[in-house]
Every structure is written in C-alpha cells, then in structure tokens.
Amino acid sequence: MLNLLFRSFIRSMGVKIGLGFLFLAGLVSLLIGRQFLDRQARNSRDVIAAQRVDLERHARFHPDEIGLVLYYAQFALVNQTPALAGLSIGQRDVNPSIQRVTIRGLEAQKYDADLNNPTNLLLGNIDFSFVLIYLFPLLIIAFTYSAISEERENGTWRMVAVQSRNLLGFIAQLFLVRLAVVLSLLLVLLGLAVVVLGIPLDGPFFLFAGTSVGYVLVWFGLCFWVASLHRPSGTNAVLLITIWLVLLLILPAGINQYMLSRYPLPEALATTVKQRKGYHEKWDMPKEPTVAKFYAHYPQFRPFGIPNTTFNWLWYYAMQQMGDDESARESGELRQKLQQREAVSHAFGLLIPSLHAQLQLNELAQSGLGNQLRFLDETTRFHERLRLYFYPKIFSNYPVKAERWDRHTVKTFSDCSPIRAGYVLLPPMLFGLLFGGLGWLNFRRNLYVL
Amino acid sequence: MHLNTQRLLARHVWHTVFRNRAVFWLFGLVGLVAGYAAWSGWTTFRQQKASQHYYQQEARRDWLSNPDKHPHRMAHYGHFAFRRPSPLSLFDPGMDRFLGNAIYLEAHKQNTVNFSEAGFSTGLMRFGDLSIAMLLQLLLPLLIFFLGAGSIAADRENGTLRLLLSQGVSWTNLLLGNSLGLFMVGLTLLAPLLVVAAVLWLMAQSGAPSVDEVIRFGLLIGFYGLYLALCCVVAVLVSAWSRTTKTALVSLIGLWLMTTIVLPRASQALGTYVYGLPSKTEFQTAIQADISKEGDSHNPDDPHYKSLKDSLITAYGVKTTDELPFNYSGYVMAEGEEISAAIYNQHYNTLLERFRQQNQFARATAFLNPYLALKNLSMALAGTDFLSYVDFQQQAETYRYELAQKMNELQMHHIPNKKLGPTEKAYSIDRKYWQDVPDFTDRPLSVGQVLPAEWVSVVAFGAWLLLLTFLVHRAAHRLTAV
C-alpha cells in the first residue's frame, strides 16, 4: 500500500517540479555558502599579509619611537568562521568577522563597520537556512494542502473510506509518504553540504540537521492539523499560506519592531560621544591627575612615574585609556542591552518555530548576535592583552628594532560556548507533536464524515 | 452602457467579497498589524530622533567648550555626524536599519558609518521590517489575490459565465468590471493605511511639510494606487485564464511567492555572485599603497614632500622651513589631507560602482517584477534608499575635509614655525576660532534628484501598465466561456 501511495504521489508532474525547484534552490544556497566561506578565508589571508607588511613599515618609518609605532600599528583578531556558517550566514554578513585595532582607545574602534552593500543586506541571502525556513514549508504546503480534500472534492474519498480497513492508518500513510520524500530531499541537501562546504561531522552539525528535521516536522504537523479540519482545498491553501505569512513575515517582523522600541540603544551614541571627550579633554588638563587615574587603573606601572616633558607617550596612552575608562559605564549598558535583546529573542523563539529555527541555526553556525557579542568581548580581552604587553615597552622606550614585530601575528577567536541540545531540539519536536496530535484527534472524531 | 455594466460587475464583486465573514477577519488582522506597525514605528522614530538630536547637540557643545589650544588638536577632536531619520521613514523604513547611524569626522581619516540597527540585532532582523509600506507591498497584493482568484473562475465553474456572456456582456467589460470591483475592495484597505501614514508623516514634521515633502507623499500615493490596480488586473486575468478557482488561487500564490520572496533575493544573489567586493583590508591596503605612491606625509623620507620642501625653500628664498612666513607642518598636513582625501574618494567611488554593478540584476528584474519596482521607488521617495545614504556620507566627508583644512589653515597662519623644546608649553590659538566652524547639518536630496535616479523603476511601472492593457485587450479576444 505504502509503495503504491508513494508511486502515485511521485508520478505527479507538480511534485516533480516542486522537488526539482527546491533541489535547485538548495544547490544555489550551497554555492552561495561556498562563496561566503571562501570570502571569509580570503579576508583572513588578506589581513594576515597586511599586518605583517604594515608592522614592518611602521617599524621602519619610526625606528626610535615605539610609542609612535604603536600609534599606527594595528593588530587583528579574526572571529573564526566554522564551515556550518556557510549554511546559515546569519549576521555574519552585517558584522565584520575581523577586528583590527590599535592599542589606543578601544571604544572608538570596536564598532567599526564592515564594507558591505546594504542592498544585499536588505534583500537577504539565499543561504541554506533561507531555503529551509522559507521554501521548505511552501513545498510541504503544496504537497499536502489538497492531499485529502481533493479526494473528497473528486468524490474518490468515499471509495477509499469504504475500501480501507484502517482509514486512519491510510491517512497517516498519505502524510508519511510525503514526509519521507521531503526529509529525503533535506538529507540529500545536507549530505551535499558536507561535501561542498567541507563540514566536519561533529555535534553542531548533527544538531543543525536535527533542528532542520524538527522544523520540517512542525510544518507537517501544521499541515496535518489543517487537513483534519475538513475544509475545501482552496480554504486549506489560504489558511496555510496565511499561517506561513504570520510565522515568517508578520510575527518575526513584529517582534523585531517590539525589540527596537523596547530596547533602544542611545547608549551606542552616548559611548562614542563620551569616549571622545574623555580622551581629548585631557590634553587641556594638567598631566598629574590623568596619570594618577591611569596608575589607579594599572598600579603595576607606577614605577614609571610622571615624565616632565610637554609631550610624552606615557601621558598620551594614559589619556587614550581615559577615553575608555570614562565611557565604560555607557559601554557596559550597551553590552547589557544587546544581551537582553539576544535573550528576549530566544525566549520568543520558544513560542514561534520559525524564529527558533533561525536563531538556533545561527547559534550553531556561530553567526548570530550571541557569537558577535562574545567576539566583541574577546576583542576587549585581546586589546587588553596588547596594552599590557606594550605599555611597559612604550614607557621605557624599548628599542623598536629589538621588538620581534613578525611575532605579532593575527590571532583567532574560536567560540566555544556550550550548546544545549535539549533547548535546541525540544521546542520544534513539541510543536510537531502538538499539531500532529490535534490533527489526529480531529481525524478520529470526524473520520467518517464524508 | 459600457460603464454601467462595468460598474454593475464591480458592485457584484464588492458584495461577494464582503458577504464572506472571513474577509472581515482578514481585514481586521491587517488593520491590527498596521496599528501596531504605526505605533511601534512612531515610538522608535521618536526615540531615535531624540537621541540623535541630543547627542548631535552634545557633540557640538563639547566642540565649542574646548579651551585655547593647538588647531591640530582640534582637527583630531573632530565632530560627529548622526544620520537623521527622514519623516517618511515612518512609512517605509527601506534600508534604514541596515545603514550606519553615526560617523566620527576627524583629520586624516575617513571613518566608517557605525551603529546600524542591523549590527545590533539578532537574526530576527532578517525576517523583514514591519511597516505600513511592507503591508501595502506584500500583504495587500496577496489579499487581492486571495479575493480575486475566484472572480471569473468561480463564474466559469458554476456556469454563470456562460449566462453573462450570452446576455451580451463583453469580455473587456467582464475583465475591467471585475478588476474595478477588486480595486474598490483594495481601496478599503489602501485608503485607511495611507491615512495612517499621512498622520504619522505629519506628526514627524517640525512645522508644515515642505513642498518637496508633499510631492514625495503625493507620488507615493500615486505609485501605490497604480500598484494596487496592477495587482487587481493580474488577479482577474489569471482567474479568467484558469479552469477552476483552485488553479487560479494556486497560480496566484505561486506568482506572489516568486515575485516577493524568491526573485528579489535570487537576482541580488546573482549580482553578488558575479561581482565580488574587496575585503576591508584589501580596500584599505589599496588606499595606503596609492598614498605611498603619491606622497605619504607620515613617511619621513617621502620624495613628494622632499621636493615640496625644496621648492618652497627656493620660492621663498630661505635656508630652512623654519624661516617660512607660515607654519610649515600646517602646510604639509594640508597637502597630505588633500592627497589622501582625493585618493580615498576615488577608491570609495570605485566601491560604490561595484555596489551598483551588484544591484543591477535586481534593478533590471523590476521589468519582470513590479514588486521590486515599487519597493525601490518607495524607498527612494521615503529617503531611505542607498542614494540618500551615500548623499549623507558625502556631506559628512565634505564637512570633515573642510574642518580639517580649516584647522590646517589656522595652524599655517597662527602657529609659529619655531620648534619648541621638550619642556616648553605647546602653542595654542584662541578658542574663538572654534565658532568659525559651523555645526554639521545634512540637507536631504530633493525629489527632483531622487526620481531621475529611479528612472528604471518608473519606466518598469510604465511598461507594466502597457503590458497589462495589451493583455486585457488580447484576452478579451481569446478567452472562452468554458
């Protein structure tokens, strides 16, 4: 029976076209993912080469003043892009994956934007997560919206109902065949992705696949439930497309809008204005209080004292430090607000499967806001390490030539935040079961309403 | 006679639609969403505007409160430019969320415009923006497709189509009458939503709206009206060509998905795939390389500045630069600023050209896809498109350049040439000069500059109207009752 059902389903022209289209979209998404990963790799190579050349040049131009070399010298930190990010580009196209900072005030450099074409950002990527989240449901809807209602409309359902010993089982098989076809397509695409993008078969990948399967199950659950309402095919189509619209356009956009107005970020502007003043106003003040504040922050440098020249690098970097120190409160508030945004989105995601899928795929692919925030935190630590390393050298005017500049290579940040499998997988499973169960009850109740 | 039949048919569509209870639910839902979009849009707009205004003033106050000091210190003190949201961004935020909001303007350095809303957002941002424009561009057409799928196909299914035709109703009347009816139904949503938009737009103005603003809003009304009409005709045509309501509905939904979800992304992805962007490092390295070639004021042995120095010494008949009648390092910095700004602008323009190349596929598909034509036009008129952004950026860069050069000029004329000893007090000039630099104010583009830049979209709109007229005409001769 199952075999027959499968053959009659797959023989339809519409089904072949739908599967072909989605397969093609999937392939395109993999190519785009490949291009994205290549670009990320090239960016890293570029910055590695540039850092070597630039450090050498600055050292050559200013052989007697290490303070001046470090005024110019930039040090890069790369946010490692896992191969999975090729499947879910997330926010990685908005936020730079490379930070290049000098040891001067960090707040003035931390949020520097990447070069990107805003039209690309506005229209969005065709990455695998788009194909999964937007297009797979449409295929599922197309495959199932008239699966039973059409038989009813053509008058064949009565015959099926009379001839079948287990009508409920028949309905289940009807859906299972479709589920199997859709899941096979999904798994084929994921298999290809492993090859094309070189994804390691590790925990995050299997969770990624699991989340994808869960999302497909949610939609099958929804379609099953709608089919159980015993409406005409046209109504089913309208109802399902409306659900799609609400889950994929209206609710996410509405929640995003809510977050923008609930958690506005005037702190961003406050930080940037404050840090400028914090640093620059020190030029017009006596040196002693500035250096005293600096020593309060870094007591270990106290032995360097206060040089009595009009300009000296110790004072200069103390002033730069004040830009960061005096805007630290605003900067902290900004960070906190961003973390709130992230937490609230995830909380909403528990209730809305489309959000959950996108956020979790991004999280697994390390391309979400969470990863970006951890990268920013690591940038702060990286910057601090640089400062602590170079401060004593600057203050003692360490010879530029004695410093091994070629040892200052580009550093990489790999995000190792823990993954909670249950949190990732349970919500879609529960949604799938809920709607599947509701559908089941409906079918049982109205099984022989022909 | 013609008109009467059409009106009769239109009224019939109207009655059929509103007899359906579900329609009220759908309209109610759209109304609710629109209300929420308006309210939250207004809240964010007000917050953004307030903080932008506050910090712009604070930055200016900080600038003016600087004491007497060396002008080059002021060149580094610099200023900020914060992007103002346009009043119509309340209606259509367009690219706003993806564009940076603040740029730090200082000597020697062209900074990036930072703090875009998207950079601070979770993956949610990518699902789109909730706004009145989004409802009108996406939801209204879909609703029209839902309601219009059965307009003629249902008559065909239940046999009334044959009756109508045998009574002498022409196909042209049938198509136009049904389209008109659908259009009236669409207006019951379009009109109130535009009224909401108008209220928001008026609330966002400080004082009466300018003529330019009024023209923008008028054009928006016109284009959205045309777009609605276009959707109605498409719905009726597809319905007339389909055997059953179900096929019409499925085709229309497919059409909607292709035009609004798949095509825009696909065409843009093609552009991005074909034309790659340089990495930020590559971009900066190329600029640095050109500056080194032309003359790097930070390189002590730079040949350009060596010859500059020699020519000055000869021209003024002095032995060292210390004897020049103006401050020599101010002169060098002015020269450096000029060279580096010109090179930066040249590279930046190449980058913009690259963006344009990436965008051209999506732009061209406006001819296949009226949704994109409307989207681009709407953003442009709302002042939330890339053109307006680039204009802001250029105004900021001009301001930055003038500020830096003004400080260099002050240095040349007011700072003595003699180098100070290591413990002598630094030179400074009177703080009254800080007031000579005006505050940064951006002037938005005029509608006369915006519209020509969007000519492709306008032409695409025209082409669509012609095409549909042609199709209606042709259909009227080809269609049959069964």
Side-chain angles (χ1 to χ4, degrees), chain A residues 128-423:
Chain A
F128 176 79
S129 73
F130 166 76
V131 174
L132 174 76
I133 291 172
Y134 283 78
L135 304 184
F136 263 81
L138 293 172
L139 187 78
I140 298 169
I141 291 174
F143 283 179
T144 56
Y145 80 99
S146 61
I148 294 170
S149 52
E150 198 171 47
E151 303 244 15
R152 231 188 238 113
E153 280 148 27
N154 296 341
T156 42
W157 187 246
R158 283 159 199 268
M159 293 198 328
V160 175
V162 174
Q163 288 175 356
S164 167
R165 267 195 219 135
N166 178 1
L167 191 53
L168 215 51
F170 175 77
I171 293 171
Q173 284 179 347
L174 213 63
F175 274 85
L176 281 178
V177 163
R178 285 157 174 78
L179 177 66
V181 170
V182 172
L183 282 183
S184 318
L185 177 65
L186 176 69
L187 294 179
V188 166
L189 284 176
L190 281 174
L192 280 174
V194 170
V195 180
V196 175
L197 304 178
I199 301 172
L201 295 174
D202 53 4
F205 172 74
F206 288 111
L207 274 178
F208 195 99
T211 312
S212 310
V213 171
Y215 184 67
V216 166
L217 289 178
V218 170
W219 275 98
F220 265 97
L222 276 168
C223 290
F224 187 68
W225 174 67
V226 168
S228 77
L229 298 177
H230 287 292
R231 305 274 163 168
S233 305
T235 315
N236 283 349
V238 169
L239 204 59
L240 284 168
I241 287 294
T242 308
I243 293 177
W244 183 89
L245 200 71
V246 169
L247 282 182
L248 286 163
L249 294 175
I250 295 179
L251 274 179
I255 291 170
N256 188 46
Q257 191 78 282
Y258 164 78
M259 303 250 279
L260 294 189
S261 56
R262 179 73 182 73
Y263 303 104
L265 300 169
E267 291 85 357
L269 304 187
T271 309
T272 190
V273 171
K274 200 96 183 248
Q275 61 80 19
R276 170 181 77 155
K277 194 176 180 193
Y279 154 58
H280 279 277
E281 70 181 8
K282 304 296 182 292
W283 282 93
D284 312 310
M285 293 178 175
K287 294 187 182 62
E288 291 73 19
T290 306
V291 177
K293 274 191 220 158
F294 179 72
Y295 285 152
H297 188 154
Y298 296 110
Q300 67 267 43
F301 300 133
R302 247 178 238 281
F304 288 103
I306 303 178
N308 61 352
T309 44
T310 311
F311 176 84
N312 62 72
W313 288 109
L314 192 150
W315 175 51
Y316 177 80
Y317 285 103
M319 291 195 289
Q320 284 283 355
Q321 182 80 46
M322 289 308 114
D324 282 355
D325 287 5
E326 287 178 21
S327 59
R329 194 170 58 93
E330 284 76 8
S331 174
E333 281 170 1
L334 175 63
R335 184 173 170 277
Q336 208 178 350
K337 276 254 182 87
L338 292 175
Q339 245 139 17
Q340 270 173 330
R341 279 188 172 188
E342 172 75 352
V344 173
S345 306
H346 279 273
F348 273 115
L350 291 179
L351 301 173
I352 302 165
S354 51
L355 286 194
H356 183 78
Q358 183 71 73
L359 293 173
Q360 292 311 327
L361 294 185
N362 286 353
E363 192 64 27
L364 290 167
Q366 300 181 4
S367 59
L369 181 64
N371 169 268
Q372 171 66 12
L373 293 178
R374 289 188 287 275
F375 179 49
L376 286 179
D377 285 349
E378 179 61 27
T379 307
T380 310
R381 286 189 290 270
F382 168 73
H383 187 254
E384 189 64 19
R385 282 197 295 272
L386 284 171
R387 274 179 164 168
L388 290 175
Y389 176 81
F390 281 117
Y391 275 168
K393 298 205 168 188
I394 296 168
F395 304 159
S396 59
N397 202 14
Y398 188 77
V400 174
K401 288 214 176 79
E403 180 66 29
R404 291 290 306 273
W405 295 102
D406 55 334
R407 288 220 184 131
H408 294 283
T409 49
V410 171
K411 300 287 182 289
T412 306
F413 164 61
S414 25
D415 187 358
C416 312
S417 64
I419 300 164
R420 287 170 294 167
Y423 183 81

Side-chain angles (χ1 to χ4, degrees), chain A residues 39 43 46 72 91 93 112-113 117 119-120 123 125 145 150 257-258 276 280 284 310 341 345 355, chain B residues 36 40 59 69 78 114 117-118 120-121 124 126 130 246 250 265 268 277 279-280 298 358-359 422 424:
Chain A
R39 191 173 144 72
N43 290 354
D46 282 355
Y72 293 114
Q91 295 292 88
D93 57 348
D112 275 357
N117 178 355
T119 315
N120 295 346
L123 295 178
N125 285 307
Y145 80 99
E150 198 171 47
Q257 191 78 282
Y258 164 78
R276 170 181 77 155
H280 279 277
D284 312 310
T310 311
R341 279 188 172 188
S345 306
L355 286 194
Chain B
Y36 179 69
S40 60
K69 62 162 95 177
N114 296 339
E117 207 44 89
F120 287 144
S121 288
L124 269 176
R126 311 315 280 278
L130 194 64
K246 194 187 120 189
V250 173
R265 281 187 193 237
Q268 190 65 26
L277 286 183
S279 69
K280 195 174 170 186
H298 290 122
Q358 290 194 331
N359 298 348
E424 280 178 281

Side-chain angles (χ1 to χ4, degrees), chain B residues 232-363:
Chain B
C232 295
V233 177
V234 168
V236 172
L237 274 176
V238 171
S239 179
W241 251 302
S242 307
R243 249 174 234 293
T244 61
T245 307
K246 194 187 120 189
T247 28
L249 185 65
V250 173
S251 322
L252 283 168
I253 291 177
L255 195 67
W256 181 83
L257 286 169
M258 279 315 275
T259 51
T260 57
I261 308 290
V262 180
L263 254 181
R265 281 187 193 237
S267 51
Q268 190 65 26
L270 182 65
T272 322
Y273 199 81
V274 177
Y275 298 100
L277 286 183
S279 69
K280 195 174 170 186
T281 316
E282 201 181 333
F283 180 72
Q284 287 167 339
T285 310
I287 292 176
Q288 183 52 49
D290 276 3
I291 291 177
S292 300
K293 228 184 289 161
E294 187 89 10
D296 186 351
S297 59
H298 290 122
N299 178 358
D301 307 318
D302 188 89
H304 177 82
Y305 290 92
K306 267 226 164 90
S307 70
L308 188 77
K309 187 169 158 185
D310 295 343
S311 65
L312 278 177
I313 287 177
T314 332
Y316 283 87
V318 288
K319 285 198 201 69
T320 63
T321 50
D322 286 2
E323 294 166 28
L324 286 170
F326 51 83
N327 182 283
Y328 174 66
S329 57
Y331 184 85
V332 167
M333 274 192 288
E335 173 80 6
E337 192 69 59
E338 196 180 325
I339 291 175
S340 63
I343 289 173
Y344 177 85
N345 286 337
Q346 186 196 325
H347 281 265
Y348 188 67
N349 286 331
T350 316
L351 184 72
L352 289 183
E353 188 47 45
R354 216 357 100 103
F355 288 175
R356 258 170 234 128
Q357 285 173 328
Q358 290 194 331
N359 298 348
Q360 64 182 337
F361 294 96
R363 283 201 157 269

Side-chain angles (χ1 to χ4, degrees), chain A residues 7-211:
Chain A
R7 269 198 266 166
S8 83
F9 169 67
I10 207 77
R11 205 178 291 149
S12 138
M13 198 59 204
V15 169
K16 280 182 195 146
I17 292 176
L19 285 173
F21 172 75
L22 208 60
F23 182 67
L24 195 75
L27 281 187
V28 168
S29 82
L30 296 186
L31 284 182
I32 287 173
R34 182 71 258 166
Q35 197 193 27
F36 168 76
L37 291 179
D38 290 344
R39 191 173 144 72
Q40 295 289 94
R42 212 190 65 211
N43 290 354
S44 300
R45 280 200 304 275
D46 282 355
V47 83
I48 289 170
Q51 176 155 328
R52 206 176 41 234
V53 174
D54 287 353
L55 285 180
E56 187 274 323
R57 193 182 69 232
H58 296 313
R60 184 158 41 85
F61 281 3
H62 314 289
D64 315 313
E65 245 183 316
I66 194 166
L68 189 57
V69 172
L70 288 162
Y71 174 90
Y72 293 114
Q74 288 181 309
F75 301 91
L77 177 70
V78 175
N79 186 4
Q80 196 184 38
T81 313
L84 262 186
L87 290 183
S88 184
I89 296 173
Q91 295 292 88
R92 284 278 186 141
D93 57 348
V94 176
N95 295 319
S97 296
I98 297 174
Q99 290 271 24
R100 262 189 113 184
V101 293
T102 68
I103 68 161
R104 288 179 275 156
L106 177 63
E107 291 302 329
Q109 317 174 56
K110 202 172 168 183
Y111 305 101
D112 275 357
D114 208 346
L115 292 183
N116 40 34
N117 178 355
T119 315
N120 295 346
L121 304 180
L122 174 73
L123 295 178
N125 285 307
I126 304 193
D127 57 356
F128 176 79
S129 73
F130 166 76
V131 174
L132 174 76
I133 291 172
Y134 283 78
L135 304 184
F136 263 81
L138 293 172
L139 187 78
I140 298 169
I141 291 174
F143 283 179
T144 56
Y145 80 99
S146 61
I148 294 170
S149 52
E150 198 171 47
E151 303 244 15
R152 231 188 238 113
E153 280 148 27
N154 296 341
T156 42
W157 187 246
R158 283 159 199 268
M159 293 198 328
V160 175
V162 174
Q163 288 175 356
S164 167
R165 267 195 219 135
N166 178 1
L167 191 53
L168 215 51
F170 175 77
I171 293 171
Q173 284 179 347
L174 213 63
F175 274 85
L176 281 178
V177 163
R178 285 157 174 78
L179 177 66
V181 170
V182 172
L183 282 183
S184 318
L185 177 65
L186 176 69
L187 294 179
V188 166
L189 284 176
L190 281 174
L192 280 174
V194 170
V195 180
V196 175
L197 304 178
I199 301 172
L201 295 174
D202 53 4
F205 172 74
F206 288 111
L207 274 178
F208 195 99
T211 312

Side-chain angles (χ1 to χ4, degrees), chain B residues 84-130:
Chain B
R84 272 190 302 179
S86 76
L88 277 170
S89 70
L90 271 169
F91 168 71
D92 185 356
M95 281 180 192
D96 237 12
R97 312 263 190 251
F98 296 98
L99 304 174
N101 285 309
I103 178 167
Y104 179 40
L105 310 168
E106 59 176 326
H108 316 310
K109 193 162 172 242
Q110 286 80 357
N111 289 305
T112 50
V113 192
N114 296 339
F115 305 125
S116 73
E117 207 44 89
F120 287 144
S121 288
T122 58
L124 269 176
M125 171 68 78
R126 311 315 280 278
F127 284 96
D129 225 329
L130 194 64

